Amino acid sequence: MISVCFYFQVHQPYRLRHYSFFDIGQDNYFDDQKNREVLLKVANKCYLPMNRLLLKMAKEHKGEFRFTFSLTGTVVEQYRQWCPEVLDLFRALADTGSVEFLSETYYHSLAGIYSEKEFREQVKMHAKLMRDEFGVTPTSFRNTELIFNNHIGWVAADMGFRSIVTEGTERILGWRSPNFLYVPRYSPQIRTMLKNYRLSDDIAFRFSDRGWTEWPLTVEKFAPWVHNVAGNGNVVNLFMDYETFGEHQWEDTGIFRFMEHLPRAIWTHPDFQFRTVTEAARKHEPVGEVETDHPISWADMERDLSAWTGNSMQREALSTIYELEEPIKRIGDPRLLENWRKLLTSDHFYYMSTKFWQDGDVHKYFSPYGTPHEAYVYFMNCVADLRQRVQNAVAWQ
């Protein structure tokens, strides 16, 4: 049986307010009004209707339709504060037994690249959050933005995870297919599930594109593309942002109807079954190794780190914020530590990207700021204030 794995990423950052040089001295870095506004908008357009639909489908199909989520700590915290109904529906989904919740970094950070110590701490924080909120203990792992290299694979294996999900890019596959399981070269005990980015992006990015030669996308058209994997694969990994449904692809595109009717279209072929990430990793045997010292991700055309490290502003911001890790942890002030960790969220550096063309348009769409330079200035002003607070605390001690 071939496993079809839907995996949905759920994340919202703590966006910064327009924190000017003259605000330094105030530690209210985050724009609560904007964050609440965005959270409620996305809840009403995506999370609430899609959760209700998936709950209906899970019950209707009596456990045969199975899927996987990953929720960051920052999105859970904000919905706990501003729209707890969203979390209630995720708990209801967990109770169906048809849903898996993956582990990840609590603050959706790039710590896997910049600080192994912080990376491990955030993953442990996130695992506790999943137990406390949903009563589950994650057994599979996804790193921020599916970022992966040999070392991240080794650390995930060392922390006891059974599988890790990442991008099925040709950079690590070469001529091979993402529709099989692999293992990281130096960590054969953990299995690697690779995103089929062509089929995933047909839903996530091209669904409503009237310039696409395959528009409109229907279940009658999409299901045979999935069925084509028969004989040349064991898994079809459809990984995407949860906001695909209702936020990126609006309700009037038919995206909810598409999702509702897709399972039955897939089941017209007797060899296909929906499984969660861990279930598929257990079901199938790896066919080879994947290996890369240079990180890959699911972002932008390059599928590397350039979405967050592609220019000097981003690199300086990252270097500056991670330099504060040791003194902040030594001080032991919970508020300082929490603010520092919220500033590690990858979105802050994503907003500083100066890419052009289609990738640049995507960065602009998500950014709450007028320009990448604006994002950089507000961030660095917050860091300047945080650094001053660290220096004051060290002097007082």
Side-chain angles (χ1 to χ4, degrees):
M1 295 289 287
I2 298 167
S3 298
V4 179
C5 298
F6 265 110
Y7 155 63
F8 306 117
Q9 168 62 24
V10 186
H11 168 61
Q12 292 294 328
Y14 284 99
R15 295 162 187 84
L16 301 178
R17 68 183 182 90
H18 290 196
Y19 192 91
S20 75
F21 174 81
F22 300 102
D23 291 316
I24 295 175
Q26 307 173 40
D27 68 347
N28 55 332
Y29 307 143
F30 306 101
D31 190 338
D32 287 347
Q33 181 177 344
K34 181 67 173 179
N35 287 322
R36 181 179 183 276
E37 174 188 313
V38 172
L39 265 284
L40 293 178
K41 181 189 76 167
V42 177
N44 288 318
K45 293 184 70 174
C46 171
Y47 298 161
L48 291 172
M50 191 59 181
N51 277 4
R52 292 182 185 120
L53 174 60
L54 290 179
L55 187 58
K56 171 190 169 187
M57 293 169 68
K59 292 177 178 178
E60 179 181 322
H61 297 304
K62 297 179 170 56
E64 293 299 312
F65 179 60
R66 309 179 69 77
F67 45 95
T68 302
F69 282 111
S70 180
L71 285 76
T72 63
T74 57
V75 78
V76 170
E77 287 182 357
Q78 292 182 82
Y79 276 114
R80 190 189 290 151
Q81 180 178 1
W82 288 315
C83 190
E85 184 184 356
V86 169
L87 296 183
D88 290 340
L89 284 168
F90 277 116
R91 292 187 193 100
L93 284 165
D95 290 342
T96 66
S98 299
V99 182
E100 177 179 11
F101 291 85
L102 300 184
S103 179
E104 65 170 291
T105 59
Y106 190 102
Y107 289 93
H108 201 68
S109 72
L110 302 178
I113 301 298
Y114 288 91
S115 169
E116 182 180 329
K117 178 182 179 183
E118 175 63 15
F119 178 77
R120 289 177 180 266
E121 289 177 6
Q122 286 198 26
V123 173
K124 290 175 182 176
M125 288 174 63
H126 185 268
K128 182 180 184 302
L129 179 71
M130 294 298 101
R131 289 192 296 271
D132 293 346
E133 288 289 339
F134 308 117
V136 299
T137 299
T139 55
S140 292
F141 182 72
R142 69 92 63 183
N143 193 22
T144 302
E145 302 294 331
L146 299 196
I147 293 170
F148 173 86
N149 63 9
N150 294 332
H151 185 66
I152 290 169
W154 179 85
V155 174
D158 186 61
M159 296 187 75
F161 293 108
R162 295 172 180 166
S163 64
I164 184 170
V165 300
T166 189
E167 178 71 9
T169 174
E170 288 80 1
R171 284 182 51 201
I172 61 171
L173 284 172
W175 56 269
R176 298 175 296 174
S177 168
N179 301 322
F180 292 94
L181 266 68
Y182 298 87
V183 295
R185 173 165 293 180
Y186 305 108
S187 311
Q189 68 271 42
I190 189 172
R191 298 184 176 189
T192 307
M193 297 277 284
L194 302 178
K195 172 187 168 185
N196 184 316
Y197 69 80
R198 290 183 177 87
L199 290 176
S200 299
D201 292 355
D202 286 342
I203 300 174
F205 295 109
R206 291 183 282 273
F207 186 85
S208 60
D209 181 2
R210 291 173 177 262
W212 182 34
T213 57
E214 298 294 346
W215 185 87
L217 184 60
T218 63
V219 295
E220 293 80 11
K221 186 182 295 183
F222 187 78
W225 296 349
V226 174
H227 295 160
N228 285 339
V229 173
N232 188 37
N234 296 323
V235 293
V236 182
N237 292 323
L238 303 173
F239 301 167
M240 60 200 71
D241 285 332
Y242 200 35
E243 294 82 9
T244 294
F245 302 93
E247 172 66 12
H248 303 162
Q249 309 294 340
W250 291 4
E251 181 181 8
D252 62 10
T253 66
I255 190 71
F256 292 106
R257 292 192 302 275
F258 174 88
M259 193 66 190
E260 182 175 7
H261 296 293
L262 184 59
R264 285 195 173 90
I266 297 295
W267 286 325
T268 59
H269 193 301
D271 293 338
F272 286 78
Q273 184 173 347
F274 289 93
R275 291 188 174 95
T276 68
V277 165
T278 296
E279 288 170 345
R282 287 174 176 163
K283 175 71 175 176
H284 306 289
E285 290 298 319
V287 300
E289 295 179 341
V290 289
E291 188 275 331
T292 178
D293 287 323
H294 302 288
I296 61 170
S297 77
W298 71 355
D300 294 353
M301 295 291 290
E302 296 89 346
R303 294 184 168 84
D304 57 13
L305 295 185
S306 59
W308 309 276
T309 66
N311 64 48
S312 58
M313 292 187 297
Q314 293 170 306
R315 292 188 292 272
E316 181 186 4
L318 281 160
S319 173
T320 304
I321 192 64
Y322 276 96
E323 284 174 358
L324 295 176
E325 177 180 5
E326 184 178 344
I328 283 178
K329 290 182 176 177
R330 190 168 60 245
I331 291 166
D333 182 321
R335 182 172 175 82
L336 276 179
L337 181 60
E338 181 183 8
N339 280 339
W340 176 73
R341 282 178 162 157
K342 287 178 179 177
L343 291 172
L344 297 183
T345 298
S346 65
D347 303 64
H348 302 308
F349 314 105
Y350 187 87
Y351 301 148
M352 300 176 198
S353 174
T354 51
K355 289 188 177 184
F356 293 98
W357 313 120
Q358 186 174 1
D359 286 341
D361 290 340
V362 174
H363 286 258
K364 290 175 187 175
Y365 172 82
F366 286 108
S367 178
Y369 311 110
T371 66
H373 185 258
E374 247 183 71
Y376 167 77
V377 168
Y378 297 142
F379 181 86
M380 294 303 286
N381 286 337
C382 292
V383 174
D385 179 82
L386 190 65
R387 185 193 294 114
Q388 185 60 55
R389 293 178 187 277
V390 169
Q391 291 170 351
N392 292 342
V394 169
W396 184 84
Q397 286 182 341

